[in-house]
């Protein structure tokens, strides 16, 4: 029979077919997608609508349609001279369309939506306050860090100025044949005369003088005794030369 005969693969029917790689797969995917979409549309049409959906559709249809003469309120307005599309009011400044209905479809009580809205606003406000408090705490921590960092820098600078003043004091005292410093901490102790850590800690606690106080006392001694300013790095001839040419007796005066 003809139906059972094998088809000729050299015929025009087969030779004219598009045999590019991948095309059959793409075609099958497209067909499957189209089939799935059609099935969804059919299921949507055949699906039985719920009572709420039917009520909503009927309600939307009625609300979209304009009022007609069968409406008693509209008929009364027409008797008083109202025309369709005209604004209400003696001077025509009122509304044109009826006030829209706010249909309540949920099972919650009256005022529930306002309560939810208020709680949401309170929650948002609390969240903003927490963010504000956190931001303030971060700013305060950053300020405190900057202050501590600046204080440490100033302490290191004062310690360096104190060591510089001690070296200068020792050198100038020795030039005047002063063998013993006025205060033990006026000179830098030699390495071999330094005590162990515990002795140094005991000495620091018994001194009761901070680095800034020591620096102030030592620089005052250098100015009075040797007419020397550590920040100028200059030895002046006398007190008058020092007071007239030196900007001041502190580091801030020399900045």
């Amino acid at each position: 029979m003809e139906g059972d005969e094998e088809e000729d693969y050299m015929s025009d029917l087969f030779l004219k077919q598009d045999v590019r790689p991948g095309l059959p797969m793409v075609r099958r995917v497209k067909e499957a997608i189209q089939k799935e979409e059609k099935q969804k549309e059919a299921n949507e049409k055949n699906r039985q609508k719920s009572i709420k959906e039917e009520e909503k559709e009927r309600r939307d249809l009625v609300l979209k349609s304009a009022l007609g003469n069968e409406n008693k309120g509209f008929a009364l307005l027409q008797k008083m001279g109202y025309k369709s599309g005209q604004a209400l009011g003696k001077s025509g400044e009122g509304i044109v369309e009826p006030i829209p209905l706010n249909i309540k479809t949920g099972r919650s009580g009256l005022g529930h939506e306002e309560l939810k809205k208020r709680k949401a606003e309170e929650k948002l406000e609390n969240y903003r306050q927490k963010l504000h408090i956190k931001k303030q705490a971060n700013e305060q921590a950053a300020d405190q860090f900057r202050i501590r960092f600046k204080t440490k820098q100033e302490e290191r600078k004062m310690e360096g100025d104190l060591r510089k003043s001690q070296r200068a004091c020792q050198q100038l005292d020795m030039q005047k044949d002063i063998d013993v410093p006025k205060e033990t901490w006026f000179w830098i102790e030699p390495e071999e005369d330094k005590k162990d850590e515990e002795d140094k800690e005991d000495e620091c606690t018994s001194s009761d003088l901070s680095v800034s106080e020591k620096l102030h006392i030592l620089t005052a001694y250098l100015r009075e005794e040797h007419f020397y300013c550590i920040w100028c790095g200059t030895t002046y001839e006398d007190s008058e030369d020092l007071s007239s040419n030196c900007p001041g007796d502190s580091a801030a005066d020399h900045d």
Side-chain angles (χ1 to χ4, degrees):
M1 297 176 63
E2 293 182 0
D4 297 334
E5 293 180 358
E6 293 185 1
E7 296 179 349
D8 186 4
Y9 289 96
M10 297 302 292
S11 65
D12 293 339
L13 180 62
F14 282 89
L15 292 177
K16 290 181 179 180
Q17 288 184 359
D18 195 344
V19 293
R20 285 178 292 178
L23 283 178
M25 178 62 71
V26 173
R27 194 159 35 242
R28 284 197 296 271
V29 170
K30 287 183 178 180
E31 290 175 355
I33 294 173
Q34 291 174 357
K35 185 177 180 181
E36 185 178 354
E37 290 177 352
K38 289 180 180 179
Q39 186 65 35
K40 285 182 179 179
E41 292 176 0
N43 292 338
E44 188 68 24
K45 290 179 180 179
N46 296 329
R47 187 176 66 88
Q48 186 176 2
K49 297 180 181 178
S50 63
I51 297 175
K52 289 185 177 180
E53 289 177 339
E54 292 178 354
E55 289 178 351
K56 185 177 182 302
E57 287 182 357
R58 289 196 298 268
R59 184 172 57 247
D60 293 341
L61 181 62
V62 173
L63 292 175
K64 287 179 181 178
S65 60
L67 295 175
N69 295 329
E70 69 278 2
N71 185 278
K72 293 183 179 181
F74 187 71
L76 288 173
L77 286 174
Q78 283 183 324
K79 287 180 180 180
M80 290 186 290
Y82 175 78
K83 295 180 181 179
S84 181
Q86 180 182 351
L88 297 179
K90 185 177 180 180
S91 57
E93 295 179 354
I95 61 174
V96 178
E97 297 294 333
I99 298 174
L101 296 177
N102 186 11
I103 306 297
K104 186 178 183 303
T105 57
R107 309 182 80 180
S108 57
L110 294 175
H112 181 71
E113 294 298 326
E114 291 295 329
L115 179 62
K116 284 177 60 178
K117 183 179 179 182
R118 186 167 65 252
K119 286 185 177 181
E121 290 176 351
E122 291 176 356
K123 186 176 181 181
L124 179 62
E125 184 62 25
N126 292 335
Y127 176 72
R128 288 175 178 170
Q129 288 180 358
K130 288 181 181 179
L131 285 180
H132 182 66
I133 293 172
K134 186 177 180 180
K135 182 180 178 183
Q136 284 185 333
N138 292 336
E139 290 177 352
Q140 289 177 358
D143 291 339
Q144 291 175 359
F145 174 78
R146 284 192 290 268
I147 292 172
R148 288 196 301 269
F149 183 74
K150 185 178 180 181
T151 303
K152 287 183 179 180
Q153 282 187 321
E154 291 175 350
E155 288 178 355
R156 291 194 204 100
K157 188 175 184 302
M158 282 191 293
E159 289 174 356
D161 290 340
L162 179 60
R163 289 192 295 271
K164 182 180 177 181
S165 300
Q166 288 172 330
R167 286 192 293 267
C169 181
Q170 183 174 359
Q171 183 178 358
L172 293 172
D173 283 348
M174 293 179 68
Q175 288 178 0
K176 285 190 174 183
D177 296 330
I178 299 174
D179 297 331
V180 179
K182 186 176 180 180
E183 297 289 343
T184 55
W185 53 268
F186 271 25
W187 291 5
I188 295 179
E189 294 182 4
E191 291 293 333
E192 61 271 11
D193 295 337
K194 284 187 178 180
K195 299 178 181 179
D196 57 345
E197 292 295 328
E198 294 181 359
D199 293 339
K200 287 203 297 182
E201 288 179 2
D202 294 339
E203 182 181 352
C204 290
T205 53
S206 62
S207 176
D208 290 335
L209 289 175
S210 63
V211 175
S212 60
E213 290 173 336
K214 287 182 179 180
L215 180 62
H216 178 72
I217 294 170
L218 185 52
T219 52
Y221 170 78
L222 291 172
R223 293 173 71 86
E224 294 171 2
E225 183 69 25
H226 301 291
F227 313 116
Y228 178 76
C229 174
I230 63 165
W231 294 289
C232 295
T234 304
T235 302
Y236 295 92
E237 295 181 0
D238 49 31
S239 59
E240 183 179 353
D241 185 24
L242 175 65
S243 59
S244 59
N245 293 312
C246 181
D249 58 353
S250 66
D253 297 329
H254 291 76
D255 288 341

